[in-house]
Amino acid sequence: MKKRSLVLPADYPWKDLPTAVSYRDTMLDNDDHYLSVGVSAFQAIRRALNLHGLDAPSTILDLPCGHGRVTRVLRAAFPDAKIYVCDIDTDGTEFCSEEFHAEPLAAGTDFLKLDYGKKFELIWVGSLITHLPAPATDDFLAFVVRHLTRNGVAIVSSHGRFVVNRLAADARSSSDFLGIGVDAVQEMLREYDATGHGYADYPLANDSHRHPQSQDQRFGISIASREWIADVITRAGGTILSYEEQVWDNHHDVAAFARGART
């Protein structure tokens, strides 16, 4: 597997960060931005852990892990933790397993049936429900709640008002920053206004996120209101700890929640 090393800035928080990066990592644009995304994810995670009184989680699930943009930070920040990784891109899962001493878990798209037979003190979900329709989002968040320990915390990113406003500007100007087409954007916004959630499939000719293992699951772009996300988490048996807007990479909203009644 071809790889190279990231160049850490002089002021980077973790001098021992694993720096190997795969040339197949589709999230790699430039080193500085790539590394900053990991830092902003950790900052959101740290705030959520502090709210819940959890200092250093012993078991962590990073799903979807990709090629380890955040996994490497979790390994540096929590060196003694048992880290599990999962992604429909098995090349990414294998890379994270080899480079960051993480245990790979098989991916699945039927979240009602998916069961890893273990629970985690920290679950990080960076940019998954941003690509799922509403029913799959319901099922997935219930899956997350089921896999939390009683003192565990989940942090899940979503497309909130920042992306909604960008899409609304697109619809007015006929631009298309998400690549799904202006007609689809307009329909998403109508659905969002009516329900709090909007979704559009990726055009098949431009579907870089689809993977052979996931043909039974629709993938595209979703937007969701704070209230919609909170309602789904609550119905799944979770308790909201915090909701922050546009905090991950200055783009995604982040919801933190625990399982059951708050301690």
Side-chain angles (χ1 to χ4, degrees), residues 6 8 12-14 16-19 34-46 60 62 67-79 81 83 96 100 122 124 248:
L6 296 164
L8 300 182
Y12 197 74
W14 301 280
D16 58 347
L17 183 89
T19 57
Y34 185 94
L35 289 164
S36 74
V37 173
V39 172
S40 70
F42 175 78
Q43 290 169 341
I45 290 167
R46 183 73 270 171
I60 300 171
D62 183 0
H67 282 79
R69 185 168 55 162
V70 176
T71 315
R72 68 186 68 242
V73 173
L74 294 170
R75 173 49 69 211
F78 305 113
I83 298 178
C96 290
F100 313 129
L122 170 63
W124 163 254
W248 186 34

Side-chain angles (χ1 to χ4, degrees), residues 21-33:
V21 60
S22 170
Y23 279 107
R24 295 179 181 175
D25 191 339
T26 59
M27 296 293 104
L28 179 62
D29 42 10
N30 62 75
D31 286 14
D32 287 346
H33 179 249

Side-chain angles (χ1 to χ4, degrees), residues 2 72 79 113 121 146 182 195 258:
K2 289 187 176 182
R72 68 186 68 242
K113 296 179 181 178
E121 285 192 319
R146 290 196 311 272
V182 174
T195 68

Side-chain angles (χ1 to χ4, degrees), residues 46-164:
R46 183 73 270 171
R47 288 191 296 269
L49 293 176
N50 289 344
L51 278 173
H52 203 50
L54 182 59
D55 181 39
S58 61
T59 51
I60 300 171
L61 173 61
D62 183 0
L63 185 169
C65 62
H67 282 79
R69 185 168 55 162
V70 176
T71 315
R72 68 186 68 242
V73 173
L74 294 170
R75 173 49 69 211
F78 305 113
D80 298 325
K82 180 73 172 179
I83 298 178
Y84 297 82
V85 290
C86 179
D87 201 292
I88 57 174
D89 181 352
T90 55
D91 184 80
T93 307
E94 291 170 6
F95 183 84
C96 290
S97 175
E98 294 170 3
E99 297 294 334
F100 313 129
H101 308 293
E103 182 170 325
L105 296 175
T109 56
D110 187 343
F111 302 119
L112 286 176
K113 296 179 181 178
L114 188 60
D115 186 348
Y116 288 133
K118 54 176 62 72
K119 300 184 189 299
F120 310 93
E121 285 192 319
L122 170 63
I123 299 177
W124 163 254
V125 183
S127 196
L128 178 59
I129 68 170
T130 50
H131 300 293
L132 297 181
T137 301
D138 286 7
D139 294 346
F140 176 75
L141 291 175
F143 157 86
V144 171
V145 171
R146 290 196 311 272
H147 283 79
L148 279 174
T149 63
R150 282 294 175 185
N151 66 326
V153 177
I155 300 98
V156 179
S157 82
S158 62
H159 287 150
R161 286 195 296 181
F162 172 73
V163 175
V164 171

